[in-house]
Amino acid sequence: MTRSVLPPRSRPPSSVGFCGNNRATTGGRADVAPATAPPGTPEPDSAIDVARLRVAIARLSRRLRRHELAGLTPTQLSALATVERAGPLRLGDLAAAEGIAPSTLTRLVTALEERGYVDRGPVPGDARASTLAITPAGHTVLERIRQESTTVLADSLRTLTGSQLAALAAALPALEQLADADPRDPRSR
């Protein structure tokens, strides 16, 4: 059984229960770790409260996505960014990269095409297959969204103290490693 990694003074009183969504029943906060983890979960370093870290990252991620996304869903935005990053790619490769079903991919690609963000092209020698390439409009919308997100984050960083900014700067390499590695994907090891 994995122990909670909260310092003793921060642990909720025993009368505080957890509801199904892992939020403490008092105050609705989701940053309190339950005392146990699923079987087989490795015990985290006692200096890290994994639940608090997860919640903080999720809340920051939501804040960065709150702006106008040019009429795109988060899934469409992710697919568009993948097409930009990977270059022209086959539809099946995009579905695999995004982890989505072919039927979902068809609707997603149609929406991106209708907005003029991607172009569908033929694959030489395979009449059934097609590739997707990002258009100048797709590049423009992704750049605008990145700039908006950067502005939101920069504004948030201005609320931190010098020591908090230094701690965040020191944590960047670790955060980048976490963001780039998917422990379930053997290709990212």
Side-chain angles (χ1 to χ4, degrees):
M1 176 160 79
T2 303
R3 63 180 160 67
S4 173
V5 293
L6 291 172
R9 71 179 187 283
S10 297
R11 288 180 198 235
S14 60
S15 62
V16 176
F18 295 93
C19 56
N21 65 4
N22 203 23
R23 293 183 185 272
T25 55
T26 59
R29 292 192 50 177
D31 59 355
V32 178
T36 61
T41 302
E43 190 166 317
D45 183 328
S46 63
I48 303 263
D49 184 336
V50 176
R52 284 182 62 200
L53 178 61
R54 176 188 52 78
V55 169
I57 290 170
R59 291 176 65 198
L60 182 58
S61 178
R62 278 192 303 272
R63 183 178 309 141
L64 293 175
R65 290 189 317 245
R66 253 187 226 148
H67 56 77
E68 171 57 38
L69 294 175
L72 298 175
T73 67
T75 303
Q76 292 167 342
L77 179 60
S78 177
L80 182 60
T82 298
V83 172
E84 179 187 52
R85 183 177 55 256
L89 70 161
R90 290 177 178 239
L91 296 176
D93 294 336
L94 178 60
E98 293 296 310
I100 55 178
S103 60
T104 303
L105 180 71
T106 301
R107 289 188 302 272
L108 184 147
V109 169
T110 299
L112 293 175
E113 278 184 302
E114 287 173 353
R115 289 176 173 84
Y117 297 150
V118 295
D119 282 330
R120 196 184 305 225
V123 173
D126 190 348
R128 298 172 300 143
S130 59
T131 60
L132 285 181
I134 193 164
T135 64
H139 281 296
T140 300
V141 76
L142 283 176
E143 186 55 34
R144 191 187 93 226
I145 290 169
R146 287 180 185 123
Q147 287 174 351
E148 288 176 13
S149 295
T150 299
T151 300
V152 168
L153 183 56
D155 290 344
S156 293
L157 290 175
R158 286 186 190 96
T159 67
L160 300 179
T161 66
S163 62
Q164 289 172 319
L165 288 170
L168 193 54
L172 275 176
L175 291 171
E176 289 168 337
Q177 182 178 343
L178 289 173
D180 291 341
D182 180 353
R184 295 166 292 181
D185 184 355
R187 294 173 296 177
S188 68
R189 290 182 193 153

